[in-house]
Structure formats: structure tokens, C-alpha cells
Amino acid sequence: MDPLSAELALTEAAAARRRVKSAARAAMAVPLRLLAVAWIVLCPTVLVVGRNHLAPFVGLSLLAVTAVAWRRYERIAGMTGIRARLWPWIAVALAALAGGAAASRGGTQYGLPWLNEGGPFVVNALALACLSWLLRSRALAVGTAVMAAISLAVAATMNGDPAVATQLAAYATVLLVVSEMMSR
């Protein structure tokens, strides 16, 4: 094989790899958008049921987001031949749910309202930071840092169910912005 043909083949392989990685990041934007919608729906829910009774609603939301994302991934795979992996999203959802519940329960058990109100959100941001590392997404990494800063600011200035509703709304906004950046 002559050097020009080898260089062209390597260039095409590198371009194909970039396209696949870009498609994977764009595919992951779908569950992030769905999660943002779930958080928006949960904003008034927390004000009705209270922050200490929110876990079942969060669990159902994450299950619904996962199911819809899986269906979308299957449809995209059938059309494009590129199969996005759902396991990173499932791992993030499970870690966020388990860690968030532990933080909330720990805050209630030990009388630490800031942990009860802000802990689950910091756990969520950390889980999404792991996802950003897996996807090598700078936009998601920055978004998770913004999320953690929001949680710390809200925990320092607000309390109760309004603090949780505020964090849900702020996280939804950040996720919508990040998902838009990732889908480009």
C-alpha cells in the first residue's frame, strides 16, 4: 500500500471515529432533556408532597426517562446503524437515586437540613460528572460544576421544600442548556 493510500485510510478512520463519538454525545442529550422535563414536573410535586416523600416520584421519573431513551436509541439504531449504549445512563440513574436517597435520609436522621435538601442534588451532579467523563463531554462537565455550585448556594440561602423546588428548576435549566450544546 502506498503512503498516500495509507494516510487517506487513516484520515477516513479518524473521521469515522469522530462521527461515532459525536453521535454518542448527541444521543446522550436525549435522556438529559427528558431528565430536565422530569425535574420541571417535580418542581410543583415537591411543594405538594414534601421533599421527604419525593423519592418514589424521582424513581418513577428516572424509570420513565430510561424507558423513553431506550426506545429512542433503538429507533435511531434501526435508522442509522449506530447503536448508542444505554448502560452509562442506567448507571448514572441508579447511582443518583441510591446516593440521593442516602443523602436525604442521612440529613433527616442526623438533623442536617442542608444535607437533606442539597445532598441529593450534589450526588446527582457527581453522577452526571462521571457520565461527562465517560462521554468526554466538556459541556456536561461544566454543567455539573454549575449544578454543584447551585446546590451549595441554595443550601446556604434557602431551606425546606422551596429549596428543593428551586434546585429542581435550576438543574432542569442547566440540563436543557447542556443537552443543546451536546446535540450540536
Side-chain angles (χ1 to χ4, degrees):
M1 179 180 262
D2 67 84
L4 182 57
S5 296
E7 188 171 333
L8 286 173
L10 284 173
T11 302
E12 180 57 34
R17 185 171 188 237
R18 280 192 304 275
R19 283 192 304 272
V20 168
K21 283 189 174 199
S22 176
R25 278 194 288 277
M28 196 51 72
V30 172
L32 293 177
R33 284 187 189 115
L34 294 170
L35 185 60
V37 170
W39 287 171
I40 290 167
V41 169
L42 288 175
C43 285
T45 305
V46 73
L47 297 174
V48 172
V49 302
R51 69 186 179 278
N52 293 329
H53 304 288
L54 197 61
F57 298 99
V58 172
L60 288 173
S61 297
L62 290 174
L63 182 62
V65 166
T66 302
V68 171
W70 175 75
R71 296 277 301 158
R72 176 141 169 88
Y73 287 173
E74 289 299 311
R75 195 168 0 134
I76 289 171
M79 293 185 311
T80 65
I82 297 174
R83 181 169 293 281
R85 304 259 188 238
L86 192 58
W87 73 263
W89 172 254
I90 293 172
V92 165
L94 290 175
L97 188 60
S104 179
R105 173 161 264 160
T108 301
Q109 185 176 7
Y110 296 112
L112 302 170
W114 59 268
L115 182 59
N116 175 264
E117 297 159 2
F121 290 95
V122 173
V123 169
N124 188 290
L126 290 173
L128 288 172
C130 291
L131 182 64
S132 74
W133 176 77
L134 281 171
L135 295 174
R136 290 171 178 60
S137 171
R138 186 173 294 141
L140 186 55
V142 170
T144 59
V146 169
M147 290 174 174
I150 287 169
S151 289
L152 295 174
V154 168
T157 59
M158 299 177 74
N159 56 25
D161 297 340
V164 173
T166 300
Q167 289 176 90
L168 284 167
Y171 272 42
T173 304
V174 171
L175 287 174
L176 288 173
V177 169
V178 167
S179 67
E180 181 60 31
M181 293 171 69
M182 287 177 68
S183 65
R184 290 185 199 160

